[in-house]
Amino acid sequence: MVSEFDVIARYFSRPTPQAVLGPGDDCALLAPAAGSELAISTDMLVEGSHFLPDTDPCQLGWKALAVNLSDLAAMGATPRWALLAGSFPEGRAVWLEAFATGFFACATHFGVDLVGGDTTRGPLNLCLTVIGEVAAGTALRRDRALPGDDLWVSGQPGLAALGLAHLQGTTRLSEGLARRCLAALQQPRPRVELGRELRRRGLAHAAIDVSDGLLGDLEHVLERSAVAAEVSTTQLPYLPAGADPTLARRCQLSGGDDYELVFSAPPAKRGALSALAAELDLPLWRFGRVFAAATATDATRLTVVDENGQPLAIDRTGFDHFG
C-alpha cells in the first residue's frame, strides 16, 4: 500500500526556489520581499459541489490552483507560494499523476512554488492556500469604489456557466461553442497580469474576481464600499452566437466560475484602460457606473437596465453554497 509520504514524495515534491525552506519539515519558511505585504487566500474544491466526479484530473489540477490565484489577481498581487491539503480516495495513482501534472503546469506558468500541505485518504476534497506579494499599501480592495467610477469587467463572463449547462444536458451547444465554454470552465485563466497592472499603474479603485456570478460579486464591492451602481446589459460583452439568449444572459449575469476581474475606475482612466486592453490582448468592457447609495444599508443598491433604460427584475445574482 502506498503511504501518505509516498504520495507526497511521488506526486507533490518539486524544487521550491522561492522558499527559504520548502516541504519536508513542520513548516515552510518564506521570506517576503522588503516593502511588501502578503496577500493570502484559501478555497476548497469539493467533488460534486465544485466539480463533477468525472472531471479530467489534469484539468482539475490546473483549475484547483488557478481559481485561488484569481483571488490574488483581484488584489493586484504577484503569486509566490501555495499549500495543498487534499483528501484522496485509495488507489488513484493514475489520477494523482494526471492531477499533479495539471497542478504544476499552472504553478510553473504563474511562478508559484508548492511549499507544503497535507494528504489523507477519504472522499475527494481539495483545499488550497495561496500566498502572494504586493507593495505595501497598494493592494486593490473591495471597499474603495467611489461615486462617479466606471465599472469594468474583463473577458467574456458567462462562458463557464454555459459550459456547465452543456455538460449537465440542460442546453446543447455547437461543437465549436462547446469547446470554448468547456475551456473556460475547466481551465480558467486567472487575470494575474491585469490585476497587477491595474494596481501598478493606479488605474482602478476597487476590484473583485468573478467566482460566484458577475452581479453577486459586484454586490460585495458595492456593500463594502457603501455605494450603489447601475449596470446596462447593452454594455456587457456580446452573447455567444448559437446559445439560447435567455440562458446566455442568465449565465453572464449570475453564472459564476468565470474568474474574470470586475473593477471600478475613474472616467479619466478610460483611455489608459483601452490601451491596457490592447497591450494584454484582453477585452475590457465598461458596463456600468457607481453612484452614492441612498443609505449605508440600501437594499436596492444595484440596478440592471435593458436596452431601453428600463430596470430588469433579477431573481438571482450569483451562487451561494448555503442559499
Side-chain angles (χ1 to χ4, degrees), residues 244-292:
D244 173 79
T246 300
L247 174 63
R249 181 68 77 192
R250 185 162 67 246
C251 289
Q252 183 182 70
L253 294 177
S254 60
D257 237 10
D258 293 305
Y259 306 102
E260 298 292 351
L261 295 188
V262 167
F263 57 95
S264 78
K269 302 296 185 181
R270 290 177 185 176
L273 286 166
S274 295
L276 178 60
E279 182 181 326
L280 299 181
D281 193 23
L282 174 65
L284 298 178
W285 308 85
R286 182 166 52 87
F287 71 102
R289 193 76 178 270
V290 178
F291 300 94

Side-chain angles (χ1 to χ4, degrees), residues 16 19 63 73 75 78 82 91 96 102 139 160 170 196 231 235 247-248 272 291 322:
T16 56
K63 184 172 182 175
M75 302 196 80
T78 298
L96 283 167
T170 57
R196 192 161 48 215
V231 168
Q235 294 176 289
L247 174 63
F291 300 94
F322 299 96

Side-chain angles (χ1 to χ4, degrees), residues 65-321:
L65 181 57
V67 302
N68 284 268
L69 297 182
S70 183
D71 288 330
L72 298 181
M75 302 196 80
T78 298
R80 293 287 303 277
W81 305 286
L83 297 99
L84 168 64
S87 168
F88 303 104
E90 189 177 3
R92 301 288 289 272
V94 174
W95 190 98
L96 283 167
E97 180 70 36
F99 175 86
T101 297
F103 183 93
F104 283 107
C106 186
T108 299
H109 183 83
F110 290 101
V112 174
D113 285 352
L114 180 65
V115 296
D118 189 30
T119 61
T120 188
R121 186 173 63 192
L124 186 55
N125 182 10
L126 307 165
C127 183
L128 271 291
T129 299
V130 291
I131 305 169
E133 291 181 334
V134 59
T138 68
L140 298 173
R141 295 168 41 160
R142 299 181 183 184
D143 61 355
R144 302 293 171 84
L146 298 176
D149 277 356
D150 294 324
L151 290 172
W152 296 76
V153 65
S154 64
Q156 193 170 1
L159 292 185
L162 270 177
L164 179 60
H166 177 80
L167 286 180
Q168 294 175 329
T170 57
T171 191
R172 300 307 303 171
L173 304 176
S174 67
E175 182 179 349
L177 180 56
R179 191 180 305 113
R180 287 178 56 212
C181 292
L182 292 176
L185 174 67
Q186 296 166 342
Q187 291 189 285
R189 300 284 168 165
R191 302 306 186 185
V192 171
E193 190 172 8
L194 171 61
R196 192 161 48 215
E197 291 306 308
L198 290 175
R199 176 192 58 79
R200 189 178 69 83
R201 303 183 192 191
L203 298 179
H205 286 149
I208 190 171
D209 77 318
V210 182
S211 56
D212 295 323
L214 173 62
L215 296 184
D217 287 316
L218 173 58
E219 285 181 320
H220 296 315
V221 172
L222 302 181
E223 180 181 1
R224 291 293 301 275
S225 298
V227 293
E230 182 178 280
V231 168
S232 171
T233 59
T234 60
Q235 294 176 289
L236 284 166
Y238 61 89
L239 298 178
D244 173 79
T246 300
L247 174 63
R249 181 68 77 192
R250 185 162 67 246
C251 289
Q252 183 182 70
L253 294 177
S254 60
D257 237 10
D258 293 305
Y259 306 102
E260 298 292 351
L261 295 188
V262 167
F263 57 95
S264 78
K269 302 296 185 181
R270 290 177 185 176
L273 286 166
S274 295
L276 178 60
E279 182 181 326
L280 299 181
D281 193 23
L282 174 65
L284 298 178
W285 308 85
R286 182 166 52 87
F287 71 102
R289 193 76 178 270
V290 178
F291 300 94
T295 69
T297 58
D298 188 0
T300 58
R301 63 173 76 250
L302 177 60
T303 302
V304 181
V305 299
D306 62 16
E307 63 275 9
N308 299 313
Q310 297 302 306
L312 293 174
I314 304 295
D315 58 359
R316 181 176 181 271
T317 59
F319 179 76
D320 183 345
H321 283 285

